[in-house]
Amino acid sequence: MTDQSERTQAAPPKADPRPPGGAPRAWPKTFADRLTDPRPNLRTLLHALRECIIRPPAHTLRQIPLLPVHPGPLPAPRPGTIALTWAGHASWILRLGGLTVLTDPVWSRRIPATPARITPVGVPWQDLPPIDAVVISHNHYDHLDAPTLRRLPRDTTLLVPAGLAPWCRRRGFTRVTELDWWEATEISGVRFDFVPAHHWSRRSLTDTCRSLWGGWVLTEPGGLKLYFAGDTGYGECFTQIGRAHPGIDLALLPIGAYAPRRLLRSVHIDPEEAVRAFLDLGAAAMAPMHWATFLLSGEPPLEPLTRLRAAWAAAGLPREALWTLPIGASRRLSPSTP
């Protein structure tokens, strides 16, 4: 298999943004050539199930009531800033450049083949302002949730990876923009760049890698940059993203669903790797996500945050640059934010 650096190092010069929407684009039948690690085979998956290691040890479930959940009001939009609210898992409400944007929105209580969420959604759906755009990182069920998208008006702008627009259009959405890695689009002065991730895609037994996967760099009109990683393992992609998009002000990085490592190393970063990714990106601050919502793997519920704080301190990074938001909490990023 081709080394990952050979695939992501050739980030092209910053391209002009593509217009939103447009005619359907032609893509290859598969994006398997973009894989940066072999996917876990059936034998590995069955071995994990037999050992019962894809769920946390039973005695650690007593940690669930201690998970940080502190819902609060959504911050009002303010020019020249990015206001963000963590709804849980990889779902954020972002307010920037006059837009309200959702990332990987999952408001459902359950997703297929996964126990019900262990913490409430941080913001009730009825409390959301009108949504201007939705960005999707990839098509796994905990990131692309059909019941949540059905709640949106069908003229909501959806920004999705290459190959995923037909899925959206079949569900009635009329403003769908699909992008390849290193492509961008712009809405009301906010730029959306689609960037690589160390992951894969599938929703059924027959569509493996039929659509792409990645993260997003959002740049508001005043120049503030936010990186939303989506779902990713550790790899050269972070260095390449940092070089292509210098001066990232805030990185939203996953820290959970990492145990057992032999099964999940290739697709999910652990807390220590999240700190390495943050350093590779050259970002100014980090907010963790992809934990405290669904029990997707074998680590104890509170362990991701505990390990992240320890790794952050061991790296000598400033405490104020680690934004450990509880579910439902908000914070505002501005040019003067530490």
Side-chain angles (χ1 to χ4, degrees), residues 27 88 132:
W27 300 108
D132 299 293

Side-chain angles (χ1 to χ4, degrees), residues 68-75 84-87 92 122-123 324-331:
V69 180
H70 298 291
L74 289 174
L84 63 153
T85 304
W86 189 30
W92 296 84
V123 180
T324 52
L325 272 67
I327 291 173
S330 303
R331 189 160 175 179

Side-chain angles (χ1 to χ4, degrees), residues 232-234 238 253-256 258 261 267-271 273-274 277:
T232 182
Y234 182 77
F238 298 110
L253 289 169
I255 64 167
Y258 52 79
R261 292 312 283 152
V267 291
H268 292 155
I269 54 178
D270 64 21
E273 290 169 333

